[in-house]
Amino acid sequence: MEVWHHMIVLRHQMQSAGVSYDRIVQFLRQHPDKAPYLPQLEDDVPEEGPEACLSKGAAQLRQILTAFAFLQPQIGYCSGMHIVLAQLLVFLREEDAFWIFLHAVNSQVVPSPHVSSAMPAIVGSSTLDVVLLKAPIALRTHILMQGQDGRQALAELFAVWLRHVYVGVLPTSSLARLWDCALIIGPKVLVRVACLVTMAAADQLLDASTPAEMVAALETVAAEWSDPQALVDQAYGSEVGSVPTHLLSRLQMQYARSSCLAAGSSAFDPVHVKEPDSGSCVKLVSVADGLQVWRTGTAANWVTMWDASSADQACSIPHPIEPAKVMALCDIGTQVWMGCSSGTIERCTYDGSMLPALKSFHIAQIKFMARRQNPPGVLSGSSDGALVYWQTASMHEAVFGETPESTRFIVNHKIWDCAVDLPDTGLLWLGGGSQINALDPTRCTL
């Protein structure tokens, strides 16, 4: 556990200079109205009742997950997170568990069910495909002969394994060693272990005649794996072989596409329709992480935000922003930034409270704003070709209201239409006219 502290906890604390877990918790205690409402967490980790008595460290779980949801509102709380965190609290003290959990979610060691409700099924099905690819021919044939029921049972099993990062699946010593690799190297080792356990259970699987017996065989082999080092060595050994990242990505994309198409034509029908106020026009400006911003022609000239999933009004900003002024939207996780036709960037919190506008140095209409995940930042581009990169620290802004720093630069005086962050490359990709260029915003170079 010392490795986790030195390689992960200290790094996050250095990147978040001036913000400690204790300070965040203290802020939420002093401002309970700022704490996120998490009904699913209340169901999973009740504060009162017999379930709370059975849940060791329930108060710690709720406190950490509430702090996490406050700093990562675009993720919030997803059912099952408490299982992973409860295991971390067995290994670590509370503050270290918070930083490790934050790292695990951001690095995809814990899958992202907040992205889509179909994500567990996508992860499970793509993992099963890799397992079948690596399994011996006889074992692969036997599994496929079980039909769709067999595939579904194994895909659901692997989905649970990866969603809970093997908590309750492997013995504690083997689990800790697996987490060493997953947290330091990345989540692909979790798929490798699924392949390894399947191969180790080959004889039992070949004897199984029903999907339930196959699931039981895999659970038994995993539960009896008592050699932590052998687990890692064999997962990276020649028996499993290579598991290319592009293969996993392609499989997940295929299942995501199939999931969308399976929903039928209704997936492309309007979900919510907004009626204009007092006969004025209503126009969607943009959508970001679950919030929609509509500009209206009402007398008050309010900018109104709506929850994209429920169509409930999230907030209205009683600020003198002209209806045609908001041109682009960027959700940085704790605030919503609005790029205006005048070149300024207005900011507000999720409850509609306005923050001081940013002096962006843009003198022309802002065309786009793109969020960068790591390191956190926002790139804004205007119609005169100017690009401004903002280095943000979302938790600083959420808790202590610090103003982000900006760097102005112009690339070839070219007007860009959009920008997209590709985290794996560390670059922002610009599109405009007939060109696509990659940009390193921290170095201001293409």
Side-chain angles (χ1 to χ4, degrees), residues 89 230-231 276 289 313 344 377 386 421-422:
L89 287 171
L231 178 72
D289 289 345
Q313 180 172 316
T344 60
D421 177 35
L422 295 182

Side-chain angles (χ1 to χ4, degrees), residues 205-266:
L205 290 171
L206 290 171
D207 291 337
S209 57
T210 65
E213 291 178 357
M214 289 196 299
V215 169
L218 288 170
E219 290 176 336
T220 300
V221 171
E224 295 176 352
W225 200 293
S226 58
D227 189 338
Q229 192 57 46
L231 178 72
V232 174
D233 291 343
Q234 294 180 37
Y236 281 96
S238 58
E239 186 176 9
V240 174
S242 65
V243 180
T245 301
H246 67 82
L247 172 62
L248 276 173
S249 300
R250 188 175 74 245
L251 289 171
Q252 291 183 3
M253 181 63 70
Q254 289 175 350
Y255 281 109
R257 187 182 298 115
S258 299
S259 174
C260 180
L261 293 176
S265 60
S266 60

